[in-house]
Structures are given as C-alpha cells and as structure tokens.
Amino acid sequence: MFILNAQNSIANQFLAEMRDITVQNDSMRFRKNMERLGEILAYEISKTLDYQPAKVQTPLAEASTELLTEQPVLVAILRASLPFYQGFLNLFDKSENAFIGAYRGKHRADETFDIQMDYLACPSLEGKTVMLVDPMLATGKSLVKSYQALLQYGKPSKLIIAAAIAAPEGLAYIQEHIPEASLFIGAKDERLNEKFYIVPGLGDAGDLAYGGKL
C-alpha cells in the first residue's frame, strides 16, 4: 500500500485545504486541489507500470526512452470522483475510460445502508490495467460492488485502487474482498464514525465539489 502523506510533500497543502472548513466554501479551489492530488498519485502509480524501449526523432538526433507498454483504463465513480479522476486523465491522457453511478442508499435506523448502482459505461477490461478512482474510501463497499460489476467486461491483468482519503476499516474491507488490488491513497485517516463517514476526513466530497443535493 502506498500512502502519499507518509512523506512530506506539497500534497500536504492540497490535502489541508480540502479539509479546512475555512477554505471549503471555495468549490473551484476544492476541485482544483482534488485534481492536483489525482495528478500526484497518478505520477506515483506510473512508476509501478510496465515500460518498453522506444526511439524518438528530435531535430538533431535520435533519442532513446522508455514508454508505457499500455495505457490503463480509468474508472470514475460518479459524481464525487470527477475532479480526482481528471487528475489521472491529465497524465494518462490516452486512456480508455469507464464511468459508474454508485452511491449510498438511504440510511436505516441503525445507520447501515445499501450501495445503489444505476449507471455503468465501460470498454473491454480483459487483460488490461485498470485504475479504479474514488476520492473517499470509507467502508469500501461501493468500490467492491463497482469492481464486481466491472468484471462482466473482462478480467483485468492488474487492478489499482486510488483514493484521496481512506479509513482503516475500508482498507481492510478492500484487502479482504479484492486482495489482488494495489492501493494508492493520499492519506490514511483515523476511523469511521457511527454514520460511516471518515474521521477527520473532509465531509462530502461530491457536495464540496458540485454543491449540495436533495
């Protein structure tokens, strides 16, 4: 598991501003910071992918380099992941893309809930590297359900799950149900509260990026 803020970097500033209630009222800045964090995690993930030798002709001579053997498929979970996902797409700009509408249903009296899913658009995933992108990894249930739904489009050769902020409970749930997944997260927080929100977290990422919902 890769945890970005385990080592100090400029990403700390972006994470801090996303959490800060005095900055959160600026939705454009929230989206931009989430996009920046996505770019940084995408860069870190790129170090783990496969490359092959290539030649590039410059105006003066031929240059040797190493280029990706394949572009990953990027999967965004609507709507909260869109700014975070955009950061990945900025770097992996030749990627195929998939979109899933997965969200928490109404909370029951005991605060439990079911994951609702009502939209899925996806290319073939057979033998490909798949990056499942969601900013908040709370219980992990929506990510597991999303991945199970994606399998109807083929079995990936590699699965990478990226989150801006994750709770220990959600990480454990992912590791139990999708042990083959590689995890890349911006920050590992303390816990989930009684309503299954991440503490200290940052609130509802979708609402902060795009406004409240009924």
Side-chain angles (χ1 to χ4, degrees):
M1 184 190 311
F2 176 86
I3 302 175
L4 181 62
N5 73 343
Q7 181 177 0
N8 286 332
S9 73
I10 189 63
N12 288 356
Q13 176 182 322
F14 308 145
L15 280 163
E17 289 185 355
M18 286 190 295
R19 295 183 191 271
D20 191 336
I21 59 173
T22 67
V23 181
Q24 287 185 341
N25 60 351
D26 186 344
S27 59
M28 185 172 72
R29 187 160 191 84
F30 182 87
R31 292 193 302 271
K32 188 61 179 179
N33 282 332
M34 191 66 81
E35 181 180 345
R36 287 166 165 167
L37 193 63
E39 289 177 339
I40 294 171
L41 279 175
Y43 170 72
E44 294 294 340
I45 291 170
S46 76
K47 299 176 183 178
T48 71
L49 302 179
D50 296 327
Y51 291 77
Q52 60 188 3
K55 299 287 187 181
V56 177
Q57 184 65 50
T58 80
L60 300 178
E62 194 173 64
S64 298
T65 187
E66 297 275 338
L67 299 177
L68 284 172
T69 57
E70 63 165 337
Q71 290 284 329
V73 179
L74 304 179
V75 183
I77 299 180
L78 304 172
R79 67 178 168 152
S81 71
L82 287 176
F84 190 50
Y85 150 84
Q86 185 62 50
F88 281 78
L89 187 58
N90 290 347
L91 270 65
F92 298 110
D93 58 358
K94 297 180 180 178
S95 291
E96 295 180 290
N97 299 269
F99 298 91
I100 297 178
Y103 54 93
R104 297 183 181 195
K106 290 185 178 180
H107 285 239
R108 304 183 183 92
D110 62 357
E111 296 297 345
T112 60
F113 55 88
D114 293 321
I115 300 298
Q116 306 296 318
M117 185 178 296
D118 54 18
Y119 180 80
L120 176 53
C122 186
S124 171
L125 303 179
E126 188 65 36
K128 297 179 181 179
T129 296
V130 172
M131 294 184 190
L132 188 51
V133 177
D134 196 14
M136 308 299 288
L137 202 173
T139 66
K141 291 181 179 179
S142 62
L143 281 169
V144 169
K145 186 167 184 177
S146 295
Y147 181 60
Q148 291 170 344
L150 289 170
L151 290 175
Q152 65 185 292
Y153 295 92
K155 178 69 173 177
S157 61
K158 180 185 292 187
L159 174 66
I160 297 167
I161 292 176
I165 296 175
E169 297 91 333
L171 292 170
Y173 189 82
I174 294 293
Q175 290 170 326
E176 177 184 356
H177 290 85
I178 321 176
E180 68 271 25
S182 298
L183 291 161
F184 284 77
I185 62 174
K188 180 180 178 181
D189 275 11
E190 297 172 9
R191 59 183 173 87
L192 294 177
N193 66 12
E194 66 280 359
K195 294 187 176 182
F196 302 100
Y197 288 106
I198 303 172
V199 177
L202 52 76
D204 189 301
D207 287 357
L208 289 168
Y210 298 112
K213 56 189 179 295
L214 294 177

